[in-house]
Amino acid sequence: MSYPKPSMTAGSTALLAALTILGFLGNYYSLPLFFGADFLFGSIAVLLILYFYGLGYGLIAAVIINIYCYFLWGHPYGSLNFILEALFVGYLLRSGRKNLFLLDAAFWVFVGLPLVVLEHAVVMQMGTTITSFIILKQAINGMFNALLATLCITYLPLDKILDPTQTRRTFSLHETLFNLLAALALFPALMLTVVEIRQEMKEIKGHMEAQLRGVTADVQSHLNFWYFRHLHAVTELAIWAGNSTMTPSTELQRNTEVLRQAFTDFAALHVENAQGTAIAFARTPQEKPGFGIGLNFADRVWFQEARAQKRPILSDVFVGNRAVFSPIVVIAVPILRDQEFLGTASGVLNLNRLAFILEPYKKFWGVNLTVTDSHGHIIASTISARRPMDRLDSLKIEGSQLNQGAVYHRFPSDENLPSMTRWQKSFYVQETRMSSKIPWTLVLEAPVSPLQQKLYAIYIQNLSIMALLIVCVLLLAPPLSRWLANPLEKLAKVTSDMPYQLKQHRDIAWPKSSANEMAVLINNFQSMALILEQNFEALETRGTELARANEELRREFAEREQAEKSLRESEQRFRDIALNASEWIWEVNAQGKYTYSNAVGEKLLGYPIEDILTKHFYDFFHPEDREELKQAAFAVFAQKLPFRDFINRNINARGETIWVLTSGVPLLDDRGNLLGYRGADRDITSRRETEAALRERK
């Protein structure tokens, strides 16, 4: 059952506001997994508000906290699912169910799963792999948060903040064991999954960078070879023209046509004189004789640069309007004689052939390739939508760099797409300058989608294993927790009317347990029951004898009543001490080594009980007092005397000084030999510190 709805005092209102803010921050500072997938923690606060404040406040908080999911993921369905989760769990809490983990698991199995399929597979058409991943991720995320919320309710004093006067709610050992077993299965599996995926993501990114660098090097080498081969052809044409009269001639025209036929990647080859007028011209398809001769290229930038710089020029892409009427790139080599500019030999590159060179790299490596000139205009691309002369820098580029080079993450320009879809349609991009001789930029784009699908497959596998673990927890934790708690429950039941059963000489069915602490507790109760039974028999015998004398009968009867009362008080006191002792109950042997410690010792000293049982009592003494107190203690041991209110300093596991008040009684065998001591320690550190503070003030 959920917590009784608190009155809205200043404290409860402040806690409600704090939980709402923490919930929003839990979503805002999410745990990113990869490619638009995140683990959120806001529903922890929502579930706490549902538990302590009820369905109304819980729904309002769910809307406020989960509205951020719309901006995080780019669609409303995540927010809708989490709000419906709050409605489902809150309604069942109000109707009497109390296990948040089981309620949340029920929501994701019966409501969340079909809802996610409808939203992502049908409405958003994200595909089976992504939908399966989202189902598993959201379900496990929700149940993980529900388990954390349950642990907060169990172990944090939130109810005392709401109402300091109210007795804190107790939880059954069965319920506590169930939650701990679920946490033990779920938490490590989730952490290992996150670590594995991040490592896998790192390796995939490293592989992607290496692949981009390798493909870039191969394409650079190929294009450099292709360019210099054609540059050499144009240079040869310039040499032939330089040896001519630089006027139209049959020989020069024939050489130009032969060279163009030998290098089919040229759309046209021509020679211009110093005034930019063509004196030889060959192009594909072959035109009638004399075509192109007389065309003037003096206004072309490549001609002017070749004349001014007297070196080979590779032009930017531009639209031809003389002999080739399409986007082109020109290789122009100046014709020089004794450093006198006589004209140029020019080759017009076929950009379709350049795209043809790039295509095999796309098919083999699965990457898109684009070549741009020095001004960002596209020369050739394996993406059909990118045409020569378009500007590549008009495309949206954003995201963080993968390394210190020109490698970027490019998202689609449509910012209204859901985050996972934007990641799916995005690319890793590397931009590389071809060389100092070729002022082009090679742009490689590797799609994120295959990597995303690979990570989804890995995560689905791991999350499926986690889902199987959760199923195992749901099936095995209830009987296992009942099995562990059953001895204590049976012990409480059989000892509830133990005096009456002993009086009736009934056989008590004592429970059995393989746990050492429970076995010791059961044995102690058995010993106490045996002593009580013997005392009852003695009292009955004495009662029979006292029946002969009325006065003696009344006296014995009074003693019997007093004995029964003392035994009942002793029984109750022993049970209270054993189960709810606030002091450290301990036993040591004759050498001072601990043979028993209750759980308070662990809280007081900060050491596990197993470690305490390996030490002597003087091991915890303050180093300054150890020898003196040890000698004094063993002096008492030698006399086999009880002691009371022995004040001593100890050092806990954190190195802090604690003051305890120790009392103990000797344990002797039938011959009076010392077996050890049994006693209790009470923490008086706060009292000592207060006394010290008062002395300082005086």
Side-chain angles (χ1 to χ4, degrees):
M1 187 178 298
S2 62
Y3 191 83
K5 186 176 179 180
S7 58
M8 295 308 292
T9 61
S12 61
T13 302
L15 180 60
L16 176 61
L19 287 174
T20 304
I21 294 172
L22 288 174
F24 186 87
L25 294 176
N27 283 348
Y28 185 82
Y29 293 103
S30 57
L31 176 63
L33 301 177
F34 63 90
F35 300 144
D38 305 89
F39 250 73
L40 306 180
F41 303 100
S43 63
I44 299 173
V46 173
L47 293 173
L48 291 175
I49 294 172
L50 284 170
Y51 184 87
F52 287 112
Y53 293 88
L55 182 58
Y57 286 108
L59 282 179
I60 295 172
V63 173
I64 296 172
I65 290 171
N66 292 307
I67 195 67
Y68 176 70
C69 297
Y70 174 80
F71 301 98
L72 178 64
W73 291 330
H75 61 76
Y77 302 115
S79 301
L80 176 63
N81 293 345
F82 295 139
I83 293 171
L84 289 177
E85 176 190 25
L87 178 62
F88 182 92
V89 174
Y91 178 78
L92 293 181
L93 275 176
R94 190 168 63 176
S95 61
R97 282 78 172 178
K98 61 181 180 179
N99 192 311
L100 287 176
F101 181 75
L102 293 179
L103 294 180
D104 202 78
F107 168 80
W108 287 108
V109 170
F110 298 110
V111 180
L113 189 151
L115 197 60
V116 171
V117 171
L118 175 65
E119 294 164 347
H120 293 80
V122 179
V123 178
M124 301 176 67
Q125 298 183 346
M126 283 192 168
T128 303
T129 301
I130 297 180
T131 302
S132 301
F133 165 75
I134 294 173
I135 289 172
L136 290 169
K137 193 272 295 183
Q138 289 196 3
I140 291 175
N141 192 177
M143 286 184 276
F144 177 82
N145 289 349
L147 186 57
L148 284 178
T150 301
L151 295 178
C152 290
I153 293 170
T154 305
Y155 297 108
L156 296 181
L158 298 177
D159 51 351
K160 299 298 290 182
I161 298 175
L162 292 172
D163 187 358
T165 63
Q166 185 171 352
T167 303
R168 189 173 183 192
R169 178 183 178 237
T170 58
F171 297 86
S172 68
L173 181 61
H174 165 68
E175 183 180 351
T176 302
L177 288 174
F178 174 86
N179 293 330
L180 291 177
L181 288 172
L184 187 62
L186 192 56
F187 290 1
L190 182 60
M191 295 302 105
L192 289 174
T193 297
V194 172
V195 171
E196 179 185 356
I197 289 298
R198 292 201 167 187
Q199 181 63 31
E200 188 71 25
M201 181 73 174
K202 182 179 178 181
E203 292 177 1
I204 287 176
K205 283 187 176 182
H207 174 74
M208 175 57 64
E209 293 181 48
Q211 177 179 315
L212 288 175
R213 288 194 297 267
V215 175
T216 296
D218 289 345
V219 176
Q220 279 182 304
S221 177
H222 193 160
L223 292 183
N224 277 325
F225 174 78
W226 179 81
Y227 167 74
F228 284 110
R229 181 169 174 266
H230 288 78
L231 174 63
H232 179 72
V234 178
T235 303
E236 287 295 320
L237 180 60
I239 294 173
W240 291 340
N243 293 328
S244 71
T245 60
M246 289 303 293
T247 58
S249 66
T250 302
E251 182 181 3
L252 181 59
Q253 178 65 27
R254 184 176 59 253
N255 289 339
T256 304
E257 291 175 356
V258 169
L259 197 60
R260 199 222 57 78
Q261 291 173 3
F263 291 85
T264 57
D265 289 352
F266 282 125
L269 272 173
H270 43 85
V271 178
E272 297 79 39
N273 60 23
Q275 290 73 42
T277 301
I279 59 174
F281 197 100
R283 82 166 192 178
T284 302
Q286 185 63 44
E287 299 289 347
K288 60 184 179 179
F291 174 82
I293 296 176
L295 293 177
N296 190 273
F297 299 95
D299 60 338
R300 291 303 191 194
V301 174
W302 53 265
F303 181 82
Q304 296 171 3
E305 289 181 351
R307 181 173 58 190
Q309 299 179 25
K310 295 181 180 180
R311 65 175 181 80
I313 296 296
L314 179 62
S315 75
D316 289 333
V317 63
F318 66 96
V319 178
N321 60 5
R322 296 288 192 276
V324 179
F325 301 94
S326 61
I328 58 174
V329 171
V330 175
I331 300 176
V333 176
I335 302 171
L336 303 176
R337 186 181 298 160
D338 298 329
Q339 292 301 311
E340 178 185 356
F341 179 77
L342 301 179
T344 59
S346 307
V348 179
L349 293 174
N350 186 339
L351 300 188
N352 291 331
R353 290 291 301 169
L354 183 58
F356 181 79
I357 292 173
L358 300 178
E359 193 63 31
Y361 292 96
K362 175 183 178 179
K363 292 181 179 179
F364 185 82
W365 293 104
V367 297
N368 291 317
L369 300 94
T370 301
V371 178
T372 64
D373 64 17
S374 60
H375 293 91
H377 293 102
I378 295 173
I379 297 174
S381 177
T382 58
I383 301 175
S384 58
R386 295 181 183 172
R387 300 184 179 279
M389 291 297 298
D390 290 344
R391 286 190 62 85
L392 185 63
D393 57 6
S394 64
L395 300 174
K396 185 175 182 60
I397 298 176
E398 59 182 54
S400 57
Q401 291 187 340
L402 292 179
N403 58 21
Q404 298 303 316
V407 180
Y408 303 93
H409 190 194
R410 175 179 288 147
F411 288 94
S413 58
D414 186 359
E415 296 183 355
N416 295 321
L417 290 173
S419 60
M420 283 189 175
T421 304
R422 295 192 74 221
W423 275 93
Q424 187 179 19
K425 294 183 178 181
S426 65
F427 293 85
Y428 287 134
V429 182
Q430 176 164 316
E431 299 182 5
T432 308
R433 185 69 177 266
M434 287 293 297
S435 68
S436 59
K437 301 291 185 181
I438 308 176
W440 293 351
T441 298
L442 175 63
V443 181
L444 268 67
E445 297 169 280
V448 172
S449 179
L451 309 182
Q452 191 182 34
Q453 294 295 324
K454 181 178 179 180
L455 287 176
Y456 280 149
I458 296 172
Y459 231 119
I460 287 173
Q461 179 182 350
N462 290 347
L463 292 179
S464 298
I465 295 173
M466 290 179 61
L468 183 61
L469 281 175
I470 292 173
V471 171
C472 293
V473 167
L474 295 176
L475 293 177
L476 299 178
L480 183 59
S481 60
R482 279 195 297 269
W483 176 74
L484 292 173
N486 190 51
L488 280 178
E489 293 176 352
K490 286 185 176 180
L491 183 62
K493 183 177 181 180
V494 300
T495 57
S496 60
D497 58 346
M498 188 169 62
Y500 176 77
Q501 297 182 65
L502 293 176
K503 289 179 185 179
Q504 299 297 320
H505 301 286
R506 295 179 180 176
D507 292 332
I508 299 176
W510 296 101
K512 298 184 181 298
S513 175
S514 57
N516 183 58
E517 292 78 1
M518 290 187 183
V520 170
L521 182 61
I522 293 170
N523 289 335
N524 289 342
F525 269 94
Q526 286 180 293
S527 300
M528 183 179 68
L530 181 61
I531 295 172
L532 287 174
E533 188 174 14
Q534 293 172 353
N535 287 338
F536 283 146
E537 291 175 355
L539 288 173
E540 288 176 355
T541 302
R542 184 174 298 177
T544 302
E545 295 173 353
L546 290 177
R548 299 171 184 175
N550 189 36
E551 185 64 29
E552 186 177 359
L553 178 61
R554 288 195 297 270
R555 178 169 54 82
E556 289 294 336
F557 183 75
E559 290 177 358
R560 177 180 173 182
E561 284 188 335
Q562 183 62 37
E564 289 180 353
K565 179 180 179 181
S566 299
L567 287 173
R568 286 193 299 271
E569 291 176 351
S570 175
E571 174 194 359
Q572 184 62 41
R573 185 180 303 110
F574 185 84
R575 186 183 297 119
D576 291 343
I577 291 173
L579 296 178
N580 303 300
S582 62
E583 296 182 342
W584 177 22
I585 308 300
W586 50 263
E587 289 185 8
V588 297
N589 60 20
Q591 290 73 42
K593 183 179 181 180
Y594 287 102
T595 59
Y596 171 78
S597 171
N598 66 356
V600 177
E602 183 175 349
K603 295 179 180 178
L604 183 63
L605 295 173
Y607 293 98
I609 293 176
E610 294 79 3
D611 291 351
I612 294 176
L613 296 182
T614 64
K615 298 183 180 296
H616 296 76
F617 66 86
Y618 50 79
D619 292 333
F620 299 113
F621 284 159
H622 194 286
E624 296 178 359
D625 307 334
R626 184 171 296 150
E627 287 303 319
E628 179 182 352
L629 295 180
K630 177 180 176 182
Q631 293 178 8
F634 278 114
V636 175
F637 275 37
Q639 300 178 47
K640 307 175 186 177
L641 296 176
F643 61 90
R644 185 177 179 83
D645 297 340
F646 175 58
I647 299 175
N648 55 96
R649 286 192 298 174
N650 286 254
I651 301 296
N652 64 16
R654 295 180 297 276
E656 301 168 345
T657 299
I658 57 173
W659 290 86
V660 295
L661 195 65
T662 305
S663 300
V665 295
L667 301 176
L668 307 175
D669 63 13
D670 295 339
R671 298 182 179 180
N673 296 319
L674 181 67
L675 300 176
Y677 270 78
R678 176 186 295 131
D681 280 22
R682 182 156 51 92
D683 187 1
I684 61 170
T685 305
S686 298
R687 192 183 79 185
R688 296 285 296 188
E689 291 175 350
T690 302
E691 291 173 353
L694 291 175
R695 286 194 297 271
E696 290 178 0
R697 291 179 183 177
K698 293 179 179 181

